[in-house]
Amino acid sequence: MKKWIVSVVLLLTVGLLAACGGEGNGKKIVVGASSVPHAEILKFVQDKLKEQGVEMEVKEFTDYVLPNTALEEKQLDANYFQTIPYLEDFNKKHGTHIKALDGIHLEPMGLYPGKEKAPEPKQGAVVAIPDDVSNGARALKLLESKGWIKLTPGKELNSLTKQDIIQNPKKIKITEMQASMLPRAINEVDYAVINGNYAMEGGLTFDQALAVENKDSEAAKTFANIIAVREGDENREEIKKLIQVLKSDDVKKFIEEKYKGAVIPVF
């Protein structure tokens, strides 16, 4: 009887260790993402990825900080929400060790009316833009393309700040705030430049925008949304399979049909 009990315990222990070992070998991955469109795109490929032997849990985040800190702290295996310039700036500021992999899509930024609906700003109009370096620079370039301001020529896109405004005929006041807050704050400012994903989450559509990033612009080429992993995980087979299914014709068709230009595949 005692021998039988010992055998059962040993079998259970071996089974438990094998199960843990399976997870450790990466049969399941946890990927952090913004709700729209990143999590929606990831959920679209979950079954395709499972067919390749990889289960994926999608964890949704509402800001641009926690998906990176969670990845660094090994709560995630990868994330999908950011651009290379944003990631480079984040690593520099926070001492994180996160690597950019393939670009999947672009979310063109839009200039949206808030309290003011006119296509041209009044004197002293308040325009809200994202407070992080890369998205703030994109917002300033969009305002320049609209003719509202002029920026220091010749500077790298990702280094532009509001201090680089050299002409401001309407004396526009630039106010910076967290990117995720912009749709909720739009009625408190005259205009706002908003990332595509947050605009969609806030119920804004491109036909409401006064200006939109051109898909062939410098900003569009620089700011594709990427898959990112911790340093050292770049060659994990599970991550390679994830990227493979994301860069498929089915995903391209899904993005084009669902988002109708608000999200653009870059592969």
Side-chain angles (χ1 to χ4, degrees):
M1 183 69 175
K2 286 183 180 179
K3 287 183 180 179
W4 179 82
I5 293 172
V6 169
S7 297
V8 170
V9 170
L10 284 171
L11 284 171
L12 287 172
T13 303
V14 169
L16 181 61
L17 289 172
C20 292
E23 285 192 7
N25 289 331
K27 298 301 182 185
K28 176 180 177 180
I29 57 174
V30 183
V31 183
S34 298
S35 298
V36 180
H38 309 79
E40 293 176 343
I41 296 169
L42 288 172
K43 288 172 183 176
F44 178 74
V45 302
Q46 271 180 316
D47 289 343
K48 297 177 189 296
L49 192 58
K50 193 170 184 177
E51 288 171 7
Q52 300 207 26
V54 181
E55 284 194 45
M56 175 174 59
E57 178 185 345
V58 180
K59 274 194 154 184
E60 297 184 32
F61 293 84
T62 58
D63 73 342
Y64 284 169
V65 176
L66 291 176
N68 276 339
T69 55
L71 179 58
E72 180 75 6
E73 293 167 2
K74 300 186 179 181
Q75 297 170 27
L76 304 173
D77 296 289
N79 66 37
Y80 174 34
F81 77 98
Q82 65 193 321
T83 65
I84 289 176
Y86 177 83
L87 174 58
E88 289 175 346
D89 183 64
F90 190 95
N91 277 334
K92 190 184 300 181
K93 286 180 176 176
H94 298 271
T96 43
H97 306 83
I98 301 171
K99 292 288 185 179
L101 300 182
D102 293 39
I104 306 300
H105 75 265
L106 170 74
E107 297 163 16
M109 271 190 159
L111 169 62
Y112 293 90
K115 291 191 294 185
E116 290 292 325
K117 310 301 179 188
E120 293 298 323
K122 64 183 181 182
Q123 286 285 327
V126 177
V127 181
I129 68 171
D131 62 0
D132 62 275
V133 173
S134 57
N135 286 306
R138 290 173 70 186
L140 292 171
K141 287 296 285 186
L142 184 58
L143 293 175
E144 184 179 49
S145 74
K146 184 73 173 158
W148 289 12
I149 59 172
K150 185 169 178 58
L151 298 165
T152 304
K155 286 193 71 171
E156 286 187 12
L157 176 60
N158 200 40
S159 66
L160 289 169
T161 70
K162 61 183 182 180
Q163 279 69 48
D164 289 298
I165 299 173
I166 57 175
Q167 290 182 26
N168 187 1
K170 295 291 181 72
K171 297 198 168 32
I172 289 169
K173 296 173 184 173
I174 304 292
T175 183
E176 297 168 318
M177 62 179 67
Q178 192 175 335
S180 61
M181 297 295 296
L182 287 166
R184 283 173 275 178
I186 195 166
N187 292 320
E188 299 170 16
V189 294
D190 295 314
Y191 304 91
V193 184
I194 306 176
N195 295 76
N197 61 314
Y198 288 135
M200 286 185 285
E201 285 179 21
L204 299 168
T205 58
F206 265 22
D207 58 2
Q208 296 172 278
L210 301 175
V212 174
E213 275 179 327
N214 186 303
K215 68 177 182 178
D216 299 317
S217 68
E218 179 190 0
K221 292 171 184 174
T222 304
F223 292 102
N225 283 232
I226 57 163
I227 297 294
V229 296
R230 280 186 307 281
E231 191 176 87
D233 283 352
E234 297 93 326
N235 294 313
R236 276 184 64 182
E237 194 60 34
E238 300 78 31
I239 304 300
K240 288 182 177 179
K241 287 179 178 179
L242 171 61
I243 291 172
Q244 181 185 350
V245 297
L246 282 171
K247 295 176 73 172
S248 67
D249 289 340
D250 285 346
V251 171
K252 182 178 286 189
K253 184 179 178 184
F254 171 78
I255 290 173
E256 290 172 344
E257 291 182 353
K258 182 172 181 64
Y259 302 111
K260 305 184 187 310
V263 180
I264 303 169
V266 296
F267 51 89

